[in-house]
Amino acid sequence: MEGLLHVEDLNIEFHDHIVPETVVYDFDLDMKEGEIVGLVGESGSGKSMSALAIAGLLSRHDMKKRGVIRFEGKSILDCPREELRQLQGDEICIIFQEPLTSLNPVKKIGWQVEESLRIHTDLPPEIRKQKALEALKEVELDDPQRVYDSYPHELSGGMRQRVMIAAAMVGNPKLLIADEPTTALDVTVQSQIVELLKKINKEKKTAILFISHDLSLVGQLCQRVLVMKNGYVVEEGTVEEIFDHPKESYTQKLISAIPKCEGAQDTVKNNPVLAEVEDVCVSFTKRKGLKKETKEVLKHVSLQINEGEILGLVGESGCGKSTLAKTIIGLLKPQSGRVNTKYPNTQMIFQDPYGSLNPTKTVGFIMEEPLKNLTEMSEQERRALAEEMITRVGLDPMYLSRYPSELSGGQRQRVCIATALMLKPKLIIADEPVSALDVTIQAEVLKLMSDLHNELGISFLFISHDLRVVYKMCDRILVMKSGEIVEEGNRSDIYEHPKHTYTKELLKSAGL
Amino acid sequence: MRYVFKKILSSIITLFIVSLLVFVAFALIPGDPALSRLGTNATESALASLRHQMGLDKPLMVRYFIWLGSALRGDFGTSYSYSMSVTSMIADKLPITVTLMIYSLLLMIVISVPLGVYASYKEGTLIDRIIQIINQIVMAIPPFFSGILITLFFGMILRIFTPGGFVSISKNAVGFFGFMFFPSLAIALPKSAMVLNLLYSSLNGEKKKDYVRTAYSRGNRSKTVFFGHMLKNASIPTITFLGMALADIIAGSIIIEQVFGIPGLGRILLTSIQNRDYPVVIAIIMLVAVVVIICNLAVDIIYRIVDPRVEENT
């Protein structure tokens, strides 16, 4: 008996180069009605391609698909576009990673939520509106009528993803494909969306194919898991099997790369103060017509960074973490308060290693640039130091003559770290250094940073929204919310005895 | 509504600044209008009395406010060379030039929008490539040359219209609009090529956007995705360009009026510049400024209707 979805020997090839490139090999999947299946893998593993093929959205002519995809007995790969259209948005729905760009920016939310109904049913406008409002209510949006009349840019990230889900669920589909639906969202919102998907599955019996690079999320939500690597499904099983007895070494590596919150010892140090922030306030003023609008981003923030420690700073996007980092390094001048640093040359590493390296310069040029500006070193000395530092971060000196586009994401972040090391700083501020990286590469970069910490005695201010990573890395932790530091303490204090309700909420969302 | 009010207010302020700049600039150009009017043999007393009569002996700012006061009442002074009121000189030429402008703008939209949309809809096909090639050629032709080509082809070879045979609207309305079609086409053609290109590339850019994928995932027909989702998004940069193109149309019409022998503002402007007839030149420049500012205002308002995100950025 065939279930809801049957995929057999699916192969996907790109034909835009001289040699065709296969991105998915022999993909098999069977889904029953009401089942939640997770599809895990790193970027480029072929998981999104497989999902798009199942949703009937891979129609580029330079792409070849072979194999069988059957949805309720109907073949997706070779049915005519007109028949496929009848399934899309009605029986099979899909939500995407970035809800802002996935919604049409110039159409109202209501129009977009009603769209599937307009296409697939003959319901009169009033009923459509009523159904859309119900769908918006079901995804737990507070004021459905207001959301209905809004444009996408007027909503927050979490609200937009809820809208996407509402638009998908409005026609009661049998299969919901969720392609990295939480990756672009804050951690507390992430867990809310996962809870929402669980609820939908329970109440409406919708089958969900959940695609993610985050194994821990998949563990929270799914019953069955497929692990993909380089286009192949390398392992398949129930969540318990995969997590407790992973067979493949790749799966084991993925699981061990999830930072665990156990076994770390508090190391209480009373080292001298390296940098100090005293009562700093930062606000931005935006002119709105004749009125000026002032937004306070940092409100009387004080903190100390001691020599030889890794200080964690956690909080959601928009809470002022990055503004604080920029203030410490001197890129922003605070309106009031003081920043004292004992040593010069504090360096910073940014989140996006793609965007923060100039694509037209070689790695060597990028690394030597701060020395040219700030020191009197000769060309040979600079090159020697660059070679030393790039070896230090685990790359061969031959990479110095490459361009950023010729490096992988992890290699780029290593180059950023090596560049920060060139001026021999005592303090490095790392602003979400691993958020843009795949989980196994994340683990490698984190290990590199703690090695540098142990061997060179460099202090870090480690900014992250990921509480697991912070647990692994940091001795002391600050929790930030809306421009204020709401809690400060040692690792065990924060994680085992959180005092502030916001800290508790963060820990709960992270599943800790 | 508040937005529109604010935009209108800032447009008016801009207009005053333009008028001040233009007035001061022409006052500072060397040369004595009284001298040029009476000739080099005029006596000093005759010059002085004429200067007094023309108000040239007053300080610059006083002269500006006197000029501004009467300009606001529709009086732009007296022409130096024709000794007649500037307003009456311009009044019968203005409708001709304005017709030419609006005609060109309409032709531009009628030619470029359907072709741009069609080419993008058929992207990659033979018809798309043919449109692109013709478009590249047309884009490279300046308006005066397209004017010459149109005169040659439609006027001399096909004999659809008589080159130089301008008839005024009061005499023969059909003949007027029939004749004006060709100069308008000459102005519109190169500009429509640009609009076509812009619309075409922004439509093609929209095709790769995430929301288009979402639209397909809901089971839309390709046609609905194209017209219902993409067209409005792609029209945003095109509207901005249309606003800028309008200012260019004015410049184009001045030249085209010469090519086709149309007695519009362009001809008066050229002769007035040659004769240093500054009141006329200033009046025409101010008119052009008013038209450009009104067009920009209209673009801003349309822009806001089309793109709900504009509010945030203003």
Side-chain angles (χ1 to χ4, degrees):
Chain A
M1 176 62 201
E2 198 174 289
L4 183 73
L5 178 73
H6 175 77
V7 185
E8 201 180 311
D9 287 337
L10 176 67
N11 283 265
I12 302 173
E13 284 173 12
F14 274 110
H15 282 258
D16 54 350
H17 295 290
I18 301 163
V19 183
E21 184 193 355
T22 310
V23 288
V24 176
Y25 296 91
D26 304 331
F27 182 87
D28 292 333
L29 169 68
D30 268 292
M31 272 180 86
K32 291 193 284 288
E33 275 172 42
E35 197 180 19
I36 309 184
V37 175
L39 192 52
V40 186
E42 305 192 340
S43 49
S45 62
K47 56 191 195 308
S48 287
M49 285 297 150
S50 314
L52 289 174
I54 293 168
L57 290 173
L58 272 193
S59 56
R60 281 171 47 183
H61 47 79
D62 55 358
M63 217 173 248
K64 271 219 180 96
K65 294 152 286 180
R66 279 184 287 113
V68 179
I69 302 176
R70 268 202 303 271
F71 180 81
E72 292 193 308
K74 186 174 263 179
S75 170
I76 300 256
L77 282 187
D78 40 42
C79 84
R81 170 99 186 93
E82 194 55 32
E83 267 176 59
L84 180 62
R85 215 170 60 71
Q86 300 302 329
L87 289 178
Q88 290 175 330
D90 194 31
E91 302 280 303
I92 306 175
C93 283
I94 183 162
I95 57 173
F96 299 100
Q97 174 171 355
E98 184 42 81
L100 177 60
T101 54
S102 298
L103 290 163
N104 189 336
V106 301
K107 299 281 189 187
K108 285 195 175 164
I109 296 295
W111 188 90
Q112 308 197 42
V113 174
E114 280 175 22
E115 187 164 37
S116 321
L117 295 178
R118 248 190 338 265
I119 297 166
H120 300 290
T121 67
D122 301 323
L123 297 172
E126 317 85 71
I127 308 282
R128 281 208 303 261
K129 178 170 181 185
Q130 196 190 325
K131 287 210 165 209
L133 287 173
E134 268 167 34
L136 288 171
K137 203 169 168 204
E138 259 163 32
V139 295
E140 291 157 7
L141 283 162
D142 285 337
D143 189 349
Q145 185 63 51
R146 193 181 66 82
V147 173
Y148 185 90
D149 291 321
S150 302
Y151 286 102
H153 72 270
E154 295 165 333
L155 306 178
S156 70
M159 286 165 91
R160 286 180 205 133
Q161 195 59 289
R162 283 169 197 271
V163 165
M164 283 295 287
I165 296 173
M169 293 308 297
V170 74
N172 269 326
K174 294 206 175 98
L175 173 63
L176 177 68
I177 301 171
D179 187 3
E180 302 260 10
T182 59
T183 311
L185 303 174
D186 266 328
V187 55
T188 47
V189 184
Q190 262 182 23
S191 66
Q192 288 165 10
I193 296 286
V194 167
E195 285 307 311
L196 179 64
L197 290 175
K198 257 189 197 166
K199 189 189 96 172
I200 286 171
N201 170 262
K202 211 169 143 198
E203 288 174 4
K204 307 214 163 184
K205 302 273 170 264
T206 314
I208 299 175
L209 179 58
F210 184 80
I211 296 141
S212 181
H213 68 279
D214 188 338
L215 250 180
S216 55
L217 276 183
V218 170
Q220 281 175 48
L221 179 69
C222 304
Q223 294 142 9
R224 216 146 53 78
V225 185
L226 274 71
V227 182
M228 281 189 90
K229 188 195 179 190
N230 299 335
Y232 290 98
V233 175
V234 291
E235 191 161 359
E236 187 183 350
T238 64
V239 166
E240 292 77 25
E241 283 168 5
I242 295 281
F243 275 80
D244 299 342
H245 314 286
K247 288 190 216 83
E248 289 295 318
S249 59
Y250 180 71
T251 318
Q252 285 162 7
K253 197 174 152 203
L254 272 184
I255 291 171
S256 63
I258 303 177
K260 301 234 170 16
C261 297
E262 54 201 27
Q265 290 283 310
D266 274 351
T267 41
V268 184
K269 295 171 193 157
N270 283 318
N271 289 347
V273 174
L274 187 65
E276 204 173 5
V277 174
E278 274 176 68
D279 202 31
V280 158
C281 292
V282 172
S283 57
F284 295 119
T285 316
K286 198 169 105 183
R287 272 194 65 124
K288 224 178 176 186
L290 298 173
K291 275 178 291 179
K292 276 186 188 167
E293 233 170 57
T294 306
K295 197 181 164 212
E296 282 182 74
V297 184
L298 295 180
K299 301 165 194 162
H300 304 284
V301 172
S302 299
L303 64 93
Q304 286 179 356
I305 304 167
N306 299 327
E307 266 177 44
E309 79 170 344
I310 302 184
L311 178 65
L313 179 63
V314 293
E316 303 197 339
S317 55
C319 74
K321 291 179 304 210
S322 297
T323 309
L324 179 58
K326 282 184 196 157
T327 313
I328 295 174
I329 206 166
L331 287 173
L332 273 177
K333 260 199 141 43
Q335 267 84 5
S336 68
R338 282 190 311 149
V339 176
N340 300 320
T341 42
K342 205 165 147 194
Y343 298 96
N345 299 341
T346 298
Q347 294 292 300
M348 197 157 167
I349 305 167
F350 298 94
Q351 172 172 0
D352 182 5
Y354 298 86
S356 46
L357 295 173
N358 185 340
T360 61
K361 303 285 187 212
T362 60
V363 167
F365 180 92
I366 294 168
M367 286 180 62
E368 289 171 32
E369 203 172 19
L371 296 181
K372 276 187 222 159
N373 297 336
L374 298 171
T375 68
E376 305 279 312
M377 286 167 89
S378 72
E379 212 179 316
Q380 287 82 5
E381 286 172 317
R382 289 203 303 258
R383 181 54 49 147
L385 191 62
E387 280 175 10
E388 187 193 329
M389 289 310 169
I390 202 154
T391 320
R392 196 71 260 281
V393 299
L395 294 176
D396 192 280
M398 72 172 190
Y399 280 93
L400 288 175
S401 55
R402 292 211 186 165
Y403 287 93
S405 59
E406 296 164 333
L407 305 176
S408 72
Q411 287 172 337
R412 285 179 217 207
Q413 201 57 293
R414 283 172 192 269
V415 167
C416 291
I417 295 173
T419 311
L421 292 176
M422 290 297 274
L423 285 169
K424 308 222 160 104
K426 286 278 176 192
L427 171 64
I428 293 179
I429 298 175
D431 189 359
E432 303 265 8
V434 294
S435 307
L437 303 175
D438 272 328
V439 59
T440 50
I441 296 165
Q442 214 174 59
E444 288 167 17
V445 172
L446 290 176
K447 176 154 190 315
L448 170 65
M449 288 172 67
S450 61
D451 287 351
L452 292 174
H453 168 70
N454 292 332
E455 289 162 25
L456 303 178
I458 298 172
S459 305
F460 282 91
L461 174 61
F462 190 90
I463 300 173
S464 180
H465 68 277
D466 189 335
L467 274 101
R468 291 166 187 274
V469 171
V470 169
Y471 186 91
K472 198 174 162 189
M473 291 293 290
C474 306
D475 314 311
R476 206 155 61 84
I477 293 153
L478 305 172
V479 182
M480 202 165 175
K481 192 195 179 199
S482 318
E484 285 171 284
I485 289 175
V486 294
E487 191 162 353
E488 177 180 356
N490 289 328
R491 171 168 37 208
S492 57
D493 296 341
I494 297 277
Y495 281 78
E496 283 154 36
H497 314 289
K499 291 190 199 76
H500 199 275
T501 47
Y502 180 68
T503 315
K504 290 176 189 162
E505 198 187 314
L506 274 179
L507 287 166
K508 192 169 154 259
S509 317
L512 296 171
Chain B
M1 261 344 269
R2 263 195 56 198
Y3 173 83
V4 176
F5 180 72
K6 248 164 51 186
K7 278 282 166 195
I8 292 176
L9 197 73
S10 76
S11 302
I12 292 172
I13 294 170
T14 315
L15 210 52
F16 276 113
I17 294 169
V18 171
S19 74
L20 181 66
L21 288 179
V22 171
F23 192 86
V24 170
F26 279 97
L28 293 180
I29 291 176
D32 184 350
L35 189 67
S36 68
R37 196 157 148 192
L38 293 181
T40 38
N41 295 330
T43 61
E44 195 52 45
S45 63
L47 281 175
S49 79
L50 183 62
R51 280 195 199 114
H52 180 72
Q53 193 195 325
M54 291 165 83
L56 291 174
D57 52 350
K58 295 194 181 75
L60 183 63
M61 286 318 285
V62 177
R63 273 156 58 199
Y64 170 69
F65 282 108
I66 292 172
W67 172 84
L68 186 67
S70 42
L72 286 176
R73 274 178 270 119
D75 174 13
F76 284 94
T78 314
S79 157
Y80 293 165
S81 27
Y82 298 102
S83 302
M84 64 188 283
S85 138
V86 175
T87 313
S88 67
M89 264 174 81
I90 292 174
D92 29 308
K93 315 286 181 199
L94 185 64
I96 299 174
T97 302
V98 169
T99 312
L100 189 61
M101 274 173 51
I102 294 173
Y103 216 154
S104 313
L105 182 69
L106 290 180
L107 275 179
M108 195 165 92
I109 294 169
V110 168
I111 296 170
S112 61
V113 173
L115 280 177
V117 170
Y118 188 72
S120 173
Y121 189 61
K122 295 270 175 191
E123 193 195 352
T125 60
L126 184 66
I127 183 95
D128 166 35
R129 265 175 236 149
I130 293 171
I131 293 177
Q132 290 307 312
I133 290 167
I134 296 174
N135 200 42
Q136 293 298 326
I137 296 168
V138 174
M139 203 188 303
I141 302 175
F144 75 88
F145 190 59
S146 67
I148 294 170
L149 287 181
I150 285 171
T151 312
L152 183 72
F153 188 69
F154 292 103
M156 321 279 263
I157 299 172
L158 295 180
R159 295 184 182 277
I160 297 177
F161 79 109
T162 326
F166 176 79
V167 277
S168 72
I169 191 164
S170 51
K171 278 189 192 146
N172 179 356
V174 178
F176 172 74
F177 284 107
F179 180 83
M180 291 297 266
F181 175 81
F182 297 96
S184 307
L185 188 65
I187 298 172
L189 266 185
K191 286 273 164 299
S192 357
M194 287 175 199
V195 177
L196 193 157
N197 204 351
L198 185 69
L199 186 62
Y200 176 81
S201 51
S202 36
L203 271 170
N204 287 354
E206 294 297 318
K207 284 179 190 167
K208 296 177 194 79
K209 297 260 173 87
D210 286 349
Y211 74 86
V212 172
R213 186 177 57 180
T214 311
Y216 276 113
S217 81
R218 295 198 185 128
N220 274 300
R221 288 194 174 84
S222 310
K223 220 182 243 173
T224 327
V225 174
F226 197 85
F227 291 100
H229 281 269
M230 285 160 56
L231 196 56
K232 199 171 168 190
N233 280 289
S235 66
I236 294 167
T238 315
I239 291 169
T240 317
F241 183 77
L242 277 179
M244 292 189 282
L246 242 155
D248 250 25
I249 285 180
I250 301 174
S253 67
I254 289 170
I255 296 161
I256 283 298
E257 282 177 8
Q258 306 305 305
V259 176
F260 284 83
I262 299 167
L265 281 183
R267 200 180 265 183
I268 306 185
L269 182 63
L270 287 182
T271 44
S272 313
I273 291 171
Q274 277 159 6
N275 299 339
R276 297 190 175 214
D277 198 346
Y278 296 144
V280 183
V281 179
I282 291 174
I284 294 177
I285 290 177
M286 283 315 294
L287 269 178
V288 171
V290 170
V291 172
V292 171
I293 285 169
I294 289 176
C295 291
N296 279 327
L297 182 66
V299 165
D300 274 343
I301 292 169
I302 296 172
Y303 202 92
R304 201 178 129 101
I305 294 169
V306 175
D307 188 352
R309 290 164 297 181
V310 173
E311 195 168 8
E312 267 190 334
N313 309 326
T314 47

